[in-house]
Amino acid sequence: MQIQFLGPPSGIPSNYRHMSATAISFETSKQWLLIDCGEDTQHQLLKTRLSPAKLAVICITHIHGEHCYGLLGLLSSMSLHGRVAPVT
């Protein structure tokens, strides 16, 4: 299992901290899961080898903005790139 902190939690974005998002990937599968989806999660994903096409599960820990404001944008981008598979 590999854990990548895409955005160590911060109440507001700064040059050194981003909104909350953590990716968990597995050695035996290309699928991965996302815990929280702050508003700059998509930009942070561009810096990794993780593909939104292989994102299987999104877990939102709680409904504060810094944990969920990026969810709609991420789902929309996945759809615009042709993804039709459901995300849990």
Side-chain angles (χ1 to χ4, degrees), residues 14-54:
S14 72
N15 288 331
Y16 305 102
R17 296 184 71 159
H18 303 277
M19 299 289 104
S20 183
T22 304
I24 300 175
S25 56
F26 306 93
E27 296 169 0
T28 58
S29 173
K30 292 187 182 211
Q31 291 189 326
W32 58 282
L33 65 95
L34 179 66
I35 300 178
D36 288 332
C37 189
E39 61 186 307
D40 64 344
T41 300
Q42 290 186 76
H43 285 111
Q44 292 301 101
L45 281 173
L46 293 173
K47 300 175 184 177
T48 73
R49 292 184 174 192
L50 297 170
S51 168
K54 300 296 182 186

Side-chain angles (χ1 to χ4, degrees), residues 61-82:
T61 59
H62 60 284
I63 310 297
H64 283 164
E66 70 268 20
H67 296 269
C68 66
Y69 281 170
L71 184 58
L72 184 57
L74 178 62
L75 294 173
S76 295
S77 291
M78 290 164 63
S79 176
L80 287 170
H81 282 97

